[in-house]
Amino acid sequence: MPVVSHVTCPVCGSFCDDIEVIVKNNVITDVRNACAVGAAKFLDYANHRNAKPLVRKNGELVEASWDEAVRKSAEILIDATYPLLYGWSSTSCEAIRVGLELAEEVGGVIDNTSTICHGPSILSIQDVGIASCTLGQLRHRADLIFYWGCNPWSAHPRHVERYTTFSNGRFQKSTWRAHVSRLGGILSKKRLRRAINLVLGRDVFATPEISRELPYNMFQKKRKMVVVDVRKTHSAEAADYFLQVEPNKDYELLQAFRMLIADEELDVDHVAGVPVETLNEIADVMIGCKLGVIFFGLGLTMTEGKIRNIDAAISLVRDLNQRTKFLIMPMRGHFNVAGANVVFTWQTGYPFAVDFSQGYPQYNPGETSVIDILCREEADAGLVIASDPVAHFPKKAAQNLVKNPLIVIDPQTTPTSLMADVVFPSTFVGIETEGTAYRMDHVPLPLKKIVEPPSNCLSDVEILQRILHEVRRIRSKRK
Amino acid sequence: MITLYPKRLFKAPLDAQCITPDIFAEKPVSKIAELQIWEGNQKRTLDQLFKIEYNAKNQSEEMTIRILGDVRKARRIGAKMSTGKIIIDGDTGMHLGEEMQGGTIVVAGSAGSWTGCMMKKGIIQIKGDAGDYIGAAYRGSTRGMNGGEIVIQGNAGNEVGCFMRNGLIRIDGNVGQFVGIHMRNGTIIVQGNSEGRTGAQMSGGKIVVCGHTPSILPTFTVDSIKSKVKVNGEIVKGPFYKFVGDLAEDGNGKLFVSQIQNPHLKFYEKYLE
Ligand code: SF4
């Protein structure tokens, strides 16, 4: 049976590159090494496919020829005074490059999904800079790992195993054995508590008191993992220590850590629901580590404070670097959202929310970012590629998006494609088409072609190029 | 005086940085009509979008531009202006008076975000509300408002006076979070309530909050209780808790918070005994 090895997984920002896929008669029959999320993508990608180009006529989406669909989309984009081109994070860098050319040609606003995930991180990186590295460095050297406002166990399932606590690095040993025995301990403790509650006639499901004392192993010399979150997630259970912060109070906590690391005293005895003694102890652990890293997710970027949370987190890392070595990295969601930022930046100078309406790139998130534009009802046409904003955007933004003529390029039927005026069936990049994508630490890796695409689907690159050519052709004719 | 009437309601954003007394003053009316203005990705002339009325009788010494109607999509009105006056009888959009160097802007309605950002001199007065980043810096820059005065009679959004370096911002209504974040110098006075995180990461300057604030950042330390503060020569009656911070930035900013409106801050008094 043919096995395709060293396949990259086009799902999450961890972008694992050790997947093995077994193919029989152009059908993927099995996947090795991938997590459940990755495997599901490889095995089930063929469901709910868009099979033919569709164009809306008399209120209904009907099948159309490629030429007709391309012409219709080119006309929509040319006639618009302020078109939006959105998506990009789940396609290849090659497609993003063509997309930027198209945005410039039609004088539109182009934005990628960072606008609703790590946009604030980018803004504060521009304000205060960042100390970061590749994941390989962390795998081999990091001995203190913070996951702040993110839940890798569910969202980046192999992150902990491949790059941090449970990975076996050259200088840092994996701690998964300790984790397994601790899990056993936790389980028996849970059972015991339940039994006691049953005997005493108490509420069996009552949430237990959270112990605020640090476990003794936090001070042992081994790899340690700390999770900071508003709720006890699976990642928190796997961590050596879990810091439960009051919702929307991360900024205070980060700033308090900065004070403690600078050996200053606090005037309060609790910060964000955590006693200051605990913070002091964790600050000691931070200073005592050899190489620490903070991974942060949307729990930090999209809660109250937004860019300022990241501002404080990066400043904390900067302060820590005066005492030890510390790094920080955003936990990017889609497999190529980092790539979208990189390609946007090398082409226009800005990582997202780029406005080409005056012919040159302008950038000011809040003004040129897609959600704000839609909420102010300024756009009059849209192109969405490899994304599903109708399902993810705030209601008002989604409503205003579908009010205008809308072009969707997507392999699958999504709520957005159902509301569109033109739908292009594309191929799955990383399964049916080759390409390049950037891992969350900005390492570019190739996306492989494993199976042949359905006959009527084209790659994102080809579709965009056809639209671009048509736009140029109609423009020159009209002149 | 030149009066502009918008000919229709705009949908796409207008880049109206040509509407400043400086540019109007040096041109005859026929040339003013030809000034270029972007509507989305379309290049238009001023008279395609506005009816222009020139009134020579009222022409006093300084150039006055009056806009009658809703121009909430128009951005950068009065950008870089150095003299004269702009009166807007309606709402206006973002970046009003950006990098302003003198003169006056009066808005009867509300203004958008980045009003008076990076301004150096002059006066902006908004009778309604204003958006976020009043008197702030451009993204990635650390040079916010550096002089002049912004008065907002309604409410303002988040991050008022971000990276402010000098000047005065006066807000009669309520404000969002992060008033005076990264502020270096200058003064902000808020008559209403603040949503908190006031003075975050400030390294200098003065912020006065006369209303309620949910909490003070842990990186501020209480200094004393003052019966009054002086803002731009005027005395504001207290009593106020005086905090100093932001200590995480080794800052020396002064934050005054009303004692009467904030009984939940009483626990700080134990550090003053
Ligand atoms: S962790 Fe992410 S990239 Fe790796 S296999 Fe799972 S879904 Fe794919």
Side-chain angles (χ1 to χ4, degrees):
Chain A
M1 234 183 291
V3 178
V4 191
S5 56
H6 300 298
V7 174
T8 45
C9 168
V11 180
C12 81
S14 298
F15 202 31
C16 303
D17 54 1
D18 59 347
I19 315 289
E20 289 178 358
V21 180
I22 293 129
V23 184
K24 209 167 145 189
N25 300 333
N26 203 37
V27 174
I28 297 176
T29 53
D30 202 4
V31 185
R32 292 184 200 141
N33 292 348
C35 69
V37 192
K41 166 105 178 197
F42 281 108
L43 295 173
D44 300 335
Y45 75 95
N47 299 338
H48 310 291
R49 283 303 283 268
N50 286 326
K52 288 246 170 72
L54 305 173
V55 170
R56 192 172 292 276
K57 284 180 187 154
N58 302 324
E60 248 174 79
L61 278 175
V62 290
E63 283 183 13
S65 69
W66 274 96
D67 285 344
E68 188 188 351
V70 168
R71 195 177 336 110
K72 176 101 197 267
S73 351
E75 278 165 1
I76 290 176
L77 291 173
I78 291 174
D79 293 337
T81 18
Y82 207 53
L84 281 179
L85 295 88
Y86 173 77
W88 310 107
S89 306
S90 295
T91 183
S92 63
C93 294
E94 289 79 358
I96 301 168
R97 202 190 61 77
V98 185
L100 284 154
E101 213 176 330
L102 180 64
E104 187 176 2
E105 185 68 40
V106 300
V109 176
I110 185 164
D111 202 354
N112 55 56
T113 57
S114 347
T115 202
I116 52 167
C117 63
H118 275 285
S121 320
I122 294 168
L123 289 175
S124 42
I125 290 169
Q126 289 168 345
D127 268 354
V128 280
I130 192 164
S132 200
C133 65
T134 58
L135 290 168
Q137 283 278 356
L138 301 175
R139 176 190 170 105
H140 294 302
R141 293 173 203 274
D143 62 342
L144 176 63
I145 293 127
F146 269 77
Y147 283 104
W148 199 308
C150 55
N151 180 10
W153 208 262
S154 307
H156 300 77
R158 294 183 70 210
H159 195 271
V160 181
E161 162 212 325
R162 260 174 78 78
Y163 307 119
T164 63
T165 335
F166 295 167
S167 65
N168 223 349
R170 202 176 301 162
F171 308 108
Q172 291 294 335
K173 294 288 158 262
S174 162
T175 60
W176 71 270
R177 269 176 218 282
H179 168 64
V180 170
S181 55
R182 195 173 53 238
L183 261 192
I186 290 176
L187 241 127
S188 32
K189 218 162 128 191
K190 268 189 188 167
R191 283 202 199 106
L192 191 72
R193 196 180 307 119
R194 215 178 121 96
I196 293 173
N197 283 351
L198 268 176
V199 171
L200 297 179
R202 288 204 215 121
D203 180 6
V204 180
F205 297 104
T207 36
E209 281 271 298
I210 302 161
S211 144
R212 294 290 187 188
E213 276 154 45
L214 287 198
Y216 73 98
N217 56 3
M218 280 299 278
F219 298 96
Q220 283 179 351
K221 275 209 160 97
K222 68 168 185 68
R223 234 176 200 181
K224 289 177 275 287
M225 174 166 153
V226 182
V227 168
V228 188
D229 211 329
V230 293
R231 65 182 80 83
K232 195 157 191 180
T233 57
H234 282 308
S235 313
E237 276 177 10
D240 295 281
Y241 193 69
F242 167 54
L243 209 55
Q244 191 161 20
V245 51
E246 277 175 22
N248 291 326
K249 286 276 191 279
D250 300 85
Y251 184 81
E252 279 78 2
L253 196 59
L254 286 161
Q255 287 288 81
F257 271 133
R258 290 185 65 197
M259 288 273 283
L260 297 175
I261 278 154
D263 290 336
E264 298 267 4
E265 293 300 321
L266 293 174
D267 274 2
V268 286
D269 24 284
H270 278 79
V271 177
V274 187
V276 169
E277 305 95 75
T278 311
L279 295 185
N280 254 321
E281 285 175 14
I282 295 197
D284 287 345
V285 175
M286 278 172 160
I287 295 170
C289 78
K290 279 202 201 120
L291 172 61
V293 59
I294 298 178
F295 288 101
F296 61 95
L298 301 199
L300 209 52
T301 68
M302 281 295 151
T303 51
E304 236 172 60
K306 291 198 170 184
I307 59 171
R308 299 308 167 195
N309 292 341
I310 317 303
D311 189 331
I314 295 175
S315 304
L316 169 65
V317 168
R318 190 182 57 203
D319 295 353
L320 275 163
N321 270 312
Q322 295 179 355
R323 315 285 296 262
T324 174
K325 175 105 182 112
F326 232 89
L327 300 159
I328 182 163
M329 191 183 291
M331 286 288 264
R332 307 310 300 266
H334 297 297
F335 69 93
N336 196 23
V337 61
N341 296 145
V342 170
V343 181
F344 270 54
T345 310
W346 89 50
Q347 295 270 307
T348 71
Y350 304 115
F352 69 111
V354 182
D355 180 348
F356 276 108
S357 63
Q358 295 181 24
Y360 62 93
Q362 288 181 9
Y363 160 83
N364 190 14
E367 182 183 356
T368 60
S369 41
V370 62
I371 302 268
D372 303 87
I373 291 174
L374 287 171
C375 288
R376 291 192 302 259
E377 290 189 57
E378 288 171 352
D380 56 356
L383 180 145
V384 171
I385 177 165
S387 181
D388 187 10
V390 169
H392 303 145
F393 275 9
K395 191 169 158 206
K396 193 172 168 199
Q399 276 171 341
N400 289 333
L401 177 73
V402 299
K403 244 190 237 167
N404 303 322
L406 180 64
I407 305 155
V408 171
I409 303 172
D410 208 300
Q412 277 170 323
T413 310
T414 61
T416 312
S417 79
L418 293 175
M419 308 290 284
D421 296 278
V422 185
V423 181
F424 289 102
S426 61
T427 55
F428 273 102
V429 63
I431 297 178
E432 297 165 343
T433 316
E434 293 176 331
T436 313
Y438 280 71
R439 200 166 66 187
M440 62 165 75
D441 55 349
H442 289 203
V443 171
L445 293 168
L447 289 153
K448 278 201 177 168
K449 177 174 175 174
I450 309 163
V451 292
E452 285 300 323
S455 60
N456 228 325
C457 298
L458 290 181
S459 69
D460 292 331
V461 180
E462 270 171 281
I463 298 172
L464 289 163
Q465 263 165 353
R466 284 178 78 159
I467 301 176
L468 180 62
H469 286 155
E470 187 66 12
V471 166
R472 286 188 175 145
R473 195 185 64 80
I474 299 178
R475 275 256 167 94
S476 62
K477 221 165 77 185
R478 283 195 191 171
K479 264 181 201 154
Chain B
M1 176 151 94
I2 290 180
T3 313
L4 303 175
Y5 302 88
K7 288 190 174 166
R8 56 187 158 86
L9 217 58
F10 305 115
K11 182 174 164 76
L14 299 187
D15 189 349
Q17 49 183 311
C18 65
I19 307 184
T20 74
D22 298 68
I23 294 180
F24 278 30
E26 63 196 28
K27 289 195 164 59
V29 183
S30 58
K31 282 277 179 307
I32 290 176
E34 282 168 22
L35 281 173
Q36 199 190 78
I37 190 162
W38 284 91
E39 182 184 18
N41 56 18
Q42 302 295 314
K43 244 188 236 172
R44 314 241 195 253
T45 56
L46 198 63
D47 66 340
Q48 281 178 318
L49 304 175
F50 293 91
K51 195 174 102 195
I52 306 167
E53 219 175 69
Y54 182 64
N55 193 339
K57 258 187 277 166
N58 299 359
Q59 183 71 316
S60 51
E61 290 253 284
E62 60 171 15
M63 179 76 194
T64 305
I65 302 172
R66 183 167 187 156
I67 303 177
L68 274 168
D70 186 347
V71 282
R72 77 181 72 179
K73 297 289 177 200
R75 297 180 185 164
R76 295 190 177 78
I77 292 180
K80 297 202 176 115
M81 71 187 264
S82 60
T83 96
K85 192 167 185 178
I86 299 180
I87 303 167
I88 303 174
D89 284 327
D91 293 347
T92 180
M94 297 179 195
H95 301 280
L96 176 78
E98 178 181 279
E99 287 184 69
M100 189 168 165
Q101 288 155 18
T104 313
I105 300 179
V106 181
V107 181
S110 294
S113 301
W114 286 283
T115 293
C117 72
M118 300 178 279
M119 78 186 273
K120 299 189 177 73
K121 236 172 125 184
I123 296 170
I124 298 180
Q125 196 185 0
I126 316 280
K127 303 235 163 97
D129 299 339
D132 304 324
Y133 295 106
I134 308 303
Y138 182 67
R139 297 255 183 227
S141 158
T142 58
R143 301 189 167 270
M145 176 171 178
N146 203 359
E149 186 175 340
I150 302 177
V151 180
I152 296 174
Q153 294 177 351
N155 304 328
N158 293 327
E159 307 206 8
V160 171
C162 165
F163 283 112
M164 182 169 177
R165 294 197 166 214
N166 216 333
L168 172 69
I169 301 180
R170 190 187 286 275
I171 293 169
D172 293 348
N174 304 329
V175 286
Q177 291 191 344
F178 293 108
V179 174
I181 179 159
H182 283 297
M183 181 170 173
R184 307 267 161 104
N185 207 342
T187 310
I188 302 175
I189 171 160
V190 180
Q191 296 290 352
N193 306 330
S194 151
E195 281 176 23
R197 293 173 177 168
T198 314
Q201 289 165 276
M202 77 194 285
S203 51
K206 186 200 259 183
I207 305 175
V208 183
V209 180
C210 303
H212 173 266
T213 183
S215 63
I216 301 294
L217 284 172
T219 45
F220 277 75
T221 181
V222 67
D223 178 82
S224 52
I225 297 178
K226 299 271 175 200
S227 60
K228 57 181 193 286
V229 265
K230 240 183 179 177
V231 174
N232 208 23
E234 274 172 48
I235 287 187
V236 184
K237 281 236 174 77
F240 291 101
Y241 291 114
K242 180 183 173 191
F243 294 91
V244 177
D246 183 320
L247 299 179
E249 296 284 336
D250 214 0
N252 198 13
K254 297 177 207 69
L255 170 61
F256 295 88
V257 179
S258 162
Q259 186 186 26
I260 296 161
Q261 299 286 340
N262 296 287
H264 56 286
L265 301 180
K266 201 167 174 55
F267 72 92
Y268 278 108
E269 285 171 22
K270 70 174 181 244
Y271 298 103
L272 295 174
E273 279 150 17

